[in-house]
Amino acid sequence: MTVVRILKAAGGKFKLPLKALAKTPFPAPVLILKPLANMSEQNKSKTSPKKKNNRKSTQKPTVETHAFQTEVQQLLQLMIHSLYSNKEIFLREIISNASDACDKLRFQSLTDKKLLEDDEALGIWINLDTNKHSVTIRDNGIGMTHDEVIADIGTIAHSGTKTFLEKMSTDKPADSNFIGQFGVGFYSCFMVAKEVTLLTRKAGTPTSEGVKWVSDGSGEYTVETVERPERGTEIIISLNKDSREYAERYRVKNVIAKYSDHISLPIQMLKEAKADKDGKPKKDQPIEWETINKGSALWARPKKDISEEQHNSFYTSLTYDPEPPALTIHNRVEGKMEYISLFYIPAKAPFDLWDREQRHGIKLYVRRIFISDDAKNLMPNYLRFARGLVDSADLPLNVSREFLQQNRDIDKIRAASVKKILAEFKKLATSDIDKYHALWKEYGRAIKEGLIEDFENKDAIARLVRFASTHKDSEAQTISLDDYITRMPAMQKAIYYVTADSYNAAKSSPHLEIFRKNDIEVLLLSDPVDEWVVSHLTEYEAKALKSIAKGDLDMAALKSKASKEETEKKSEAMKPLVEKFKSVLEDKVKDVRLSDRLVDSPSCLVADEHDLGGNMERIMQAIGQDAPSAKPILEINPEHDLVKQIDVDGELTGEWAKLLFDQAALAEGATLKDPSDFVKRMNRLLVG
């Protein structure tokens, strides 16, 4: 639209078409005329009914009063009445939101040029009023409708909000840095505001459909339909007494240099007026906007020109994580394909790492133009903790979701990115073991999923995985499969493991007894994903992975000839008791046999070679899946005193059989179907 902005200077009136503004190249400063002290005053002057030649709205303005959603009220109370050590982040949050709004408009305008409304120069403008102690941040991005304002500002639909409230209520003040991670960035302005006014209009809608939102954070807000010529959003923050420093120019510039210097849009502030010899602003001088951020894409610079501090600052603006990343992976690819990738691995796992609905952390750009902030096709699910971006020179600008799912270039970028990240993990595992183990503690369970999902990189991932084992008897997962193989005795043919629902349950499993006695290492797997891992990773370096709780164990190499003969004699002697147990437990077990694996326990349950183990069956039931019904095998220890004293012809033999079965089930973490019957049985046998 050919709107002429009339700005008053002390010496007269000047005019400058907005089209001229749009053609001014970034980052050159734009010469315009002095604006009013508060940008919102501009809007009032254009819509005031007392002024002549103003277009009157056909709608009668109505002010609606709404109450905040309960969680928003709690959040606002926390923002207003709690003390924070880093209030300045409110500016980072508002500027970040403004940048996102401009990115969204730029993307949508690829298919609908009308949204730009003859104003193609996107940017962010900041105006400070030291007299009124206010900060105004305006963008000409996508803007919001009336319903969107109520939905996005009056309520919180983010799953992380409760987590945020709990964290901020219990943790130290410094944790206010985590605000951006939980999708509540807008509300951070109430840390410094006594009142917030938001003016907005959705791009492409009539000027009469502007929206004005006002709140002091006390529990209610008002919404009003107003005339608004400019598209985009303007936020006017009236600062409270403790925060008036944020109306000072030098303070705001320092905050922007710290958090928002990389933003590719121009962030503009008015240049300071020149002073006369008495230190007072000169009259009749034109006022210029100046760009206060560098505005260059950090990822497009050569690696050697980017300092660690710049990477850390960019990472913080990207993720809202105040801690530096554990790994920075910057890569430029040239040749048949041209693209730049910049990935960060956070030092701590994101709070929503296990949230199924959480967003991926990879942004997609095409020739520096933002396309998507949730490019799931650029990173597999098991690397969902990676943060960063990909900037391609080859993809078209008008990419769709279907295009991303079916494009070969996207697949190639994804494959190369995954290999690069896995290679960096491998390098770290060699160069800094302690740092790698710290990262594995954060992301190990997610990386294990790659053994199931990513067949192409399964071997590379297998070299990265770490487990707990009987070698250290520590819950820390620090043992690699390569470590295990180097300690294997020459006669050992398989890599042994046991699965359980916790580390303590795995460590105390009766199945381990023969292995501990013979000093054979066993991997202790207690992560739920481990059951799926061992079903996909069946061998490593030509060594089969073998569960010590399934099928027969080939322990012949551990026994002498005399020991084998002794075992055969005991087997023959115990045959009547075994047969008796079979008849008593025929509805519960597939078989009863003497055990080679027990030393100190009287009994244990073993799954048949191709059946589901008890732990896997319980996991499937817990997630609502029907597990195939398979009876276990009961193994009894002929050397145990309890088994030796059982009289095969006694009246209580059946009771002993059931008790040993229940004990074995409890030892592997199962829940008894009839606990009271177990207690009564045990009491009867104790008395008897």
Side-chain angles (χ1 to χ4, degrees), residues 425-627:
F425 270 103
K426 181 181 178 181
K427 186 188 302 182
L428 184 66
T430 304
S431 61
D432 193 338
I433 295 175
D434 291 339
K435 186 175 182 180
Y436 181 75
H437 287 165
L439 278 183
W440 181 261
K441 185 177 180 181
E442 297 293 325
Y443 305 117
R445 283 189 293 164
I447 294 174
K448 285 178 181 178
E449 295 173 13
L451 293 168
I452 305 163
E453 300 173 4
D454 192 351
F455 180 80
E456 182 181 350
N457 293 298
K458 188 166 78 170
D459 291 342
I461 299 169
R463 297 186 184 280
L464 297 177
V465 294
R466 298 293 185 266
F467 303 100
S469 88
T470 55
H471 176 68
K472 290 187 176 180
D473 267 342
S474 168
E475 189 172 0
Q477 297 183 8
T478 60
I479 307 299
S480 71
L481 294 176
D482 288 321
D483 294 336
Y484 184 99
I485 290 175
T486 59
R487 291 190 290 267
M488 285 174 58
M491 81 299 189
Q492 186 178 336
K493 299 179 181 179
I495 299 172
Y496 293 113
Y497 68 87
V498 63
T499 59
D501 59 0
S502 69
Y503 169 75
N504 287 331
K507 182 180 70 170
S508 58
S509 171
H511 302 92
L512 288 171
E513 292 172 0
I514 190 65
F515 294 90
R516 289 190 184 277
K517 181 179 179 180
N518 290 278
D519 197 25
I520 296 177
E521 186 175 0
V522 178
L523 300 177
L524 306 176
L525 312 185
S526 55
D527 291 336
V529 70
D530 286 335
E531 287 284 0
W532 282 272
V533 166
V534 294
S535 67
H536 287 76
L537 186 67
T538 55
E539 68 171 44
Y540 180 79
E541 295 292 337
K543 303 285 186 182
L545 270 70
K546 170 70 177 173
S547 171
I548 65 171
K550 293 180 73 173
D552 291 318
L553 290 179
D554 183 12
M555 309 300 288
L558 301 177
K559 297 181 179 180
S560 63
K561 184 177 180 180
S563 177
K564 292 177 183 177
E565 292 175 353
E566 183 67 21
T567 299
E568 290 175 3
K569 289 180 181 179
K570 287 179 180 178
S571 179
E572 191 64 28
M574 296 291 291
K575 192 172 182 179
L577 183 64
V578 170
E579 293 299 328
K580 178 69 174 179
F581 274 29
K582 283 183 183 179
S583 63
V584 172
L585 301 171
E586 60 180 353
D587 60 331
K588 294 183 177 181
V589 300
K590 181 180 290 187
D591 193 12
V592 179
R593 64 192 182 201
L594 299 186
S595 180
D596 277 335
R597 67 191 92 206
L598 296 175
V599 176
D600 300 316
S601 301
S603 63
C604 70
L605 294 179
V606 178
D608 208 353
E609 189 70 43
H610 302 292
D611 289 344
L612 285 182
N615 187 53
M616 182 64 166
E617 187 175 332
R618 288 188 292 276
I619 290 174
M620 293 186 68
Q621 290 172 348
I623 61 176
Q625 299 291 325
D626 292 329

Side-chain angles (χ1 to χ4, degrees), residues 315-335:
Y315 167 77
T316 297
S317 68
L318 198 67
T319 65
Y320 309 106
D321 183 356
E323 293 188 30
L327 283 178
T328 298
I329 307 168
H330 191 187
N331 190 39
R332 181 187 293 270
V333 176
E334 296 176 337

Side-chain angles (χ1 to χ4, degrees), residues 346-372:
K348 297 292 182 182
F351 79 98
D352 58 354
L353 183 63
W354 306 108
D355 182 358
R356 282 181 160 184
E357 303 302 322
Q358 65 91 30
R359 300 167 68 86
H360 284 52
I362 307 301
K363 298 178 182 287
L364 175 63
Y365 288 78
V366 175
R367 296 185 289 281
R368 314 295 183 272
I369 296 177
F370 172 81
I371 300 299
S372 170

Side-chain angles (χ1 to χ4, degrees), residues 4-10 12-16 21 31-36 42 46 270 287 289:
V4 176
R5 181 176 292 170
I6 302 178
L7 303 172
K8 293 184 179 180
K13 296 183 179 180
F14 302 84
K15 298 183 179 181
L16 183 67
L21 240 163
L31 178 65
I32 64 170
L33 301 173
K34 186 174 181 179
L36 297 170
Q42 269 182 305
K46 290 178 183 178
L270 288 172
I287 305 298
W289 289 97

